[in-house]
């Protein structure tokens, strides 16, 4: 079974450290894992053209498609974001907007007689999601809520941990998440929960 981690940081920093803790633990337990760094990718924002409804594919040609294909095949997805001005980062938001919208339309026809939405099985149904956010001081829970809201509207099954899956970083952009012993233990427990839920769902 495969779990991918998507890191919304534009640098190799604290967010990537926390995501890797989860991926490394899952790998030790037999999962295939892959880290996707958005800093290496060109992902434009959704243009709101709605062409994905008919096309069953986003019409913007950039690095979105390779990531979306990996999301479609994964059993579990960890999405991590630094907190920038209280929010997830823009490139991650662009990816999630397009992935959520495309994932909605690729597997639904929605041809109801009265033109009302009647959602069925979606691309991300039965997939397990875990959110992780990192800030120097504050904003982690708002950004965590952004990720959680995205997952809950897209039919993911969300895993939590024994505390909010957030990390703290030092001042002036220090990359020092390795000193956050509580955060490290929360991520390890998150890996345990993802392992448990994905295994049960795919029994
Ligand atoms: C543009 C920008 C905005 C930031 N906004 C916040 C913020 O709102 N709250 C906060 O506590 N830290 C904020 N930070 C600090 C980052 O969240 C922190 O450095 C974090 O470690 C970044 O994640 P990374 O190490 O994975 O890149 C900000 C940093 C930058 C560069």
């Amino acid at each position: 079974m495969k779990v991918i981690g998507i890191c919304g940081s534009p640098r190799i920093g604290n967010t990537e450290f926390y995501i890797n803790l989860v991926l490394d633990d899952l790998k030790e337990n037999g999962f295939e894992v892959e880290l996707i760094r958005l800093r290496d990718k060109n992902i434009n924002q959704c243009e709101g053209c709605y062409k994905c409804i008919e096309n069953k594919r986003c019409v913007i040609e950039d690095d979105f498609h390779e990531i979306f294909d990996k999301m479609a095949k994964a059993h579990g997805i960890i999405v991590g974001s630094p907190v920038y001005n209280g929010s997830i980062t823009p490139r991650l938001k662009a990816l999630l907007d397009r992935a959520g919208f495309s994932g909605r339309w690729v597997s639904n026809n929605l041809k109801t007689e009265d033109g009302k939405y009647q959602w069925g099985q979606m691309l991300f149904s039965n997939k397990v999601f875990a959110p992780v956010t990192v800030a120097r001081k504050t904003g982690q829970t708002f950004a965590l809520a952004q990720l959680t809201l995205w997952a809950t509207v897209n039919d993911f099954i969300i895993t939590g941990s024994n505390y909010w899956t957030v990390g703290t970083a030092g001042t002036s952009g220090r990359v020092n998440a390795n000193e956050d012993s509580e955060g490290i233990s929360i991520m390890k427990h998150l890996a345990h929960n993802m392992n448990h839920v994905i295994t049960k769902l795919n029994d």
Side-chain angles (χ1 to χ4, degrees), residues 6-11 13-21 78-89 92 131-147 164-170 173-178 180 183-184 187:
I6 298 175
C7 181
S9 178
R11 64 179 195 161
N14 298 301
T15 310
E16 186 169 317
F17 173 82
Y18 290 113
I19 293 173
N20 274 332
L21 283 176
I78 314 161
V79 175
S81 183
V83 175
Y84 277 11
N85 289 296
S87 173
I88 61 171
T89 49
L92 176 59
V132 172
T133 57
V134 185
R136 177 189 68 81
K137 185 166 179 63
T138 191
Q140 291 100 327
T141 53
F142 183 84
L144 197 79
Q146 288 180 294
L147 295 178
W164 287 304
T165 49
V166 304
T168 47
R174 274 201 298 151
V175 179
N176 62 346
N178 60 316
D180 177 16
I184 291 168
M187 299 308 157

Side-chain angles (χ1 to χ4, degrees), residues 61-73:
E61 294 304 334
D62 57 15
D63 294 336
F64 166 79
H65 296 282
E66 64 164 276
I67 302 172
F68 185 64
D69 288 347
K70 287 179 181 178
M71 293 171 85
K73 287 183 189 131

